[in-house]
Amino acid sequence: MLSPLRIAVIGCGSMGEIHADCLSRIDGVRLHAFCDVDEQRAAALCAKFPGSYATGDHERVLRDSDVDAVYVCTHHDTHGLLAVRAAEEHKHVMMEKPLALTLRECYDVGNAVEKHGIQFMTGFKMRYYPSVARAKEFIPSPLVTIAQMMDARWPDGFWANDPRKGGGNILSQGCHTMDLVCHLNGSRPVRIYAEGGNFSHPAIGIVDNIVATIRFENGSVAGVAIGDSGQTPFVSKFSFQLTDGKKTAHLRDRLKTVTLFDGERTTEAADPEEYGFIEENIDFIRSLRNGTPPPITHLDGLRATLLVLSAFESLKTGLPQTLSF
């Protein structure tokens, strides 16, 4: 029998708890340590799942020779530091999105991953939605993609809207949109142009809404709208439309419903719930067992952050940005 993989969770808020719950249902995994700046919160998860210890010191976790892998579920401004330190201590990493808030940090993470030879997975769970898979199978090479992630207005005081801790909604969750657009297109993005700005959070220095056009290496294009100007009641927060010149696919209802049209006949499929968390955890654990890269790596995290930051640069300069990736 294989010895259990021992996992540490750094960041014991809602995302840390979700991942801990998923891991508790996977054979051959042991939740070993829980870490949070609020040690009481770490202790609560340690008692719930139960682990060997709880701590407020991430260095204790990273230097623990009994830890095989760490889950980084902290505020975004700590992602780069924790990922690099985990790699230096030869711990595998599951990183909640986004990879980091700056390209420099993203490159630092990538260099550490490659130098120390660890397995690293970025948590883009929307790729695992069954309806997303149906749309990708139906239209494997779209010509035009229209993507929307439009949320209700985020409060000014929400930590993810803090320019330093979270970067605002477009960096915090818009990377999901950028990753899924790339995943559905199956081609490398080469140029992006964006309009937008700070529309509804004048008190904080963030970009809160953008509309961007992306061109891919294969010639296809995507239009992307990301922000918190208000959810639409029909398509919901998430809406992705794909066309290939004949067929169309429309993902909506938080990507749980897909409508497929082949030019003559329409079919529709709906999922009872949102998926992704357990599936990405299973894939990550499988990659550790097999010693093979997970299906979503640090390079995917870098690409999504690069697209968002390049959109910001386009806003600033008024010019399309060529993507070097």
Side-chain angles (χ1 to χ4, degrees):
M1 179 180 293
L2 293 172
S3 58
L5 289 166
R6 292 159 297 189
I7 308 296
V9 176
I10 304 178
C12 296
S14 59
M15 295 306 302
E17 184 168 3
I18 287 170
H19 283 296
D21 180 64
C22 291
L23 290 165
S24 72
R25 293 184 276 144
I26 300 174
D27 291 338
V29 173
R30 185 175 187 280
L31 286 156
H32 177 69
F34 294 87
C35 176
D36 197 279
V37 291
D38 181 347
E39 196 165 344
Q40 290 185 336
R41 190 158 57 183
L45 274 197
C46 187
K48 182 174 181 178
F49 282 105
S52 299
Y53 65 89
T55 180
D57 180 11
H58 66 264
E59 284 295 327
R60 178 184 176 188
V61 169
L62 296 175
R63 292 193 299 263
D64 185 345
S65 60
D66 287 335
V67 171
D68 296 306
V70 297
Y71 275 59
V72 178
C73 306
T74 57
H75 289 174
H76 308 333
D77 60 327
T78 63
H79 284 190
L81 167 67
L82 291 171
V84 170
R85 282 291 298 120
E88 290 171 345
E89 297 293 339
H90 302 284
K91 313 296 186 197
H92 304 295
V93 177
M94 163 63 92
M95 173 72 76
E96 259 307 318
K97 55 77 189 170
L99 182 64
L101 293 181
T102 69
L103 283 184
R104 179 69 266 161
E105 291 174 299
C106 289
Y107 288 129
D108 287 345
V109 171
N111 290 336
V113 168
E114 291 166 14
K115 176 181 179 179
H116 298 286
I118 67 164
Q119 304 299 345
F120 188 105
M121 185 167 181
T122 308
F124 288 133
K125 77 182 189 76
M126 294 198 304
R127 291 197 194 187
Y128 289 92
Y129 285 38
S131 288
V132 169
R134 295 183 191 107
K136 186 170 175 59
E137 180 180 12
F138 188 68
I139 302 182
S141 298
L143 297 174
V144 176
T145 302
I146 303 169
Q148 169 198 300
M149 181 180 282
M150 194 58 62
D151 208 351
R153 184 184 184 278
W154 286 16
D156 283 0
F158 180 37
W159 71 264
N161 252 351
D162 185 295
R164 292 187 177 181
K165 288 184 179 180
N169 81 81
I170 297 172
L171 264 171
S172 179
Q173 64 175 4
C175 57
H176 263 313
T177 311
M178 296 301 193
D179 176 72
L180 195 56
V181 165
C182 292
H183 174 65
L184 290 169
N185 273 270
S187 181
R188 185 174 69 90
V190 295
R191 190 165 64 247
I192 187 168
Y193 174 75
E195 292 282 4
N198 185 313
F199 291 171
S200 56
H201 299 87
I204 50 179
I206 59 169
V207 176
D208 56 24
N209 287 271
I210 65 167
V211 177
T213 303
I214 303 168
R215 177 169 288 277
F216 292 88
E217 193 170 46
N218 65 2
S220 64
V221 295
V224 179
I226 307 170
D228 61 350
S229 292
Q231 291 188 23
T232 57
F234 177 68
V235 298
S236 80
K237 177 178 172 180
F238 310 125
S239 170
F240 286 71
Q241 298 177 64
L242 313 174
T243 68
D244 70 355
K246 178 183 178 182
K247 297 182 294 184
T248 65
H250 185 195
L251 289 153
R252 62 188 189 281
D253 184 27
R254 294 187 60 89
L255 309 185
K256 295 184 296 182
T257 299
V258 63
T259 301
L260 308 174
F261 178 60
D262 65 6
E264 296 180 358
R265 188 168 59 105
T266 299
T267 59
E268 187 167 287
D271 305 319
E273 59 185 84
E274 293 184 45
Y275 294 87
F277 283 121
I278 187 66
E279 291 81 5
E280 69 181 0
N281 275 276
I282 289 170
D283 267 356
F284 180 60
I285 296 303
R286 183 186 295 118
S287 79
L288 302 190
R289 285 291 185 202
N290 296 340
T292 54
I296 308 171
T297 70
H298 65 284
L299 293 174
D300 297 289
L302 169 60
R303 181 180 62 187
T305 300
L306 172 63
L307 279 162
V308 172
L309 294 178
S310 297
F312 290 172
E313 188 65 19
S314 180
L315 287 181
K316 189 186 305 181
T317 63
L319 298 171
Q321 298 296 302
T322 299
L323 302 168
S324 176
F325 175 76

